[in-house]
């Protein structure tokens, strides 16, 4: 993936801000798709309407809430045609506090559903097992975390590996699980988050495989 590649990020929440800042710091050209572009404030990263961002980008990151991701991205299928779509979202049924009590796509995954409605795109799942504060700063933990890839297209995974390097993830931390159907494993990790927060407190954490 060349340095001239434009990275489009759909969403304007904490995840989008962390990834936009991290990729911009690595020298990438980043454009964000937001419903309210005027409220965006990450230096060096412009915000436009989601359709414009998807159309202008070479690689698109889904940083939208999981419960709206499928509908929004399906509506952008023309703009996403032929592009790598990095899905970092978790689609869950939340409890009153906001922690996941069930997956929105049990037996499957958001990534697989996105690939189904975007047959002309190349969907790769990654980064959804890391706290937002670690997505662009994995080295801030004393124990090195891992990041997982799920997707059907090897070349698309290579593109995502390049983005992960930009965000500070070393190659040894990247675990390729296989096709997009394997995304159900990493997506299920979110079911532990509420219990982990109650056990550990509100500290940043990520998934790591001892090996």
């Amino acid at each position: 993936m060349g340095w001239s590649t434009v990275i489009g990020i759909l969403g304007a929440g904490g995840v989008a801000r962390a990834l936009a800042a991290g990729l911009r710091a690595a020298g990438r050209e980043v454009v964000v798709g937001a419903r309210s572009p005027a409220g965006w404030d990450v230096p060096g990263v412009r915000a436009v309407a989601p359709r414009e961002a998807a159309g202008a980008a070479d690689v698109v990151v889904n940083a939208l809430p999981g419960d709206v991701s499928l509908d929004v991205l399906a509506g952008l299928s023309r703009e996403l045609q032929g592009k790598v779509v990095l899905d970092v979202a978790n689609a869950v049924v939340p409890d009153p506090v906001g922690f996941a009590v069930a997956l929105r796509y049990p037996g499957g995954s958001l990534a697989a559903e996105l690939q189904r409605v975007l047959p002309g795109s190349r969907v790769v799942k990654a980064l959804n097992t890391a706290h937002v504060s670690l997505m662009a700063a994995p080295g801030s933990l004393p124990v090195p975390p891992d990041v997982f890839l799920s997707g059907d297209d090897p070349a698309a995974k290579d593109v995502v590996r390049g983005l992960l390097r930009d965000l500070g993830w070393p190659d040894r931390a990247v675990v390729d699980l296989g096709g997009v159907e394997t995304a159900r494993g990493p997506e299920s990790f979110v079911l532990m988050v509420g219990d982990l927060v109650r056990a550990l407190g509100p500290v940043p954490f990520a998934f790591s495989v001892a090996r």
Side-chain angles (χ1 to χ4, degrees), residues 44-114:
V45 178
R46 64 190 178 97
V48 297
R51 190 172 301 278
E52 183 179 349
D58 302 296
V59 178
V60 176
V61 180
N62 175 38
L64 293 164
D67 59 344
V68 303
S69 292
L70 198 63
D71 288 341
V72 173
L73 269 68
L76 300 174
S77 59
R78 179 176 298 181
E79 288 79 8
L80 297 175
Q81 181 74 18
K83 298 179 180 180
V84 175
V85 176
L86 168 55
D87 175 34
V88 305
N90 287 310
V92 304
V93 178
D95 65 14
V97 181
F99 292 124
V101 294
L103 299 177
R104 190 166 289 274
Y105 305 106
S109 67
L110 173 59
E113 288 297 304
L114 288 174

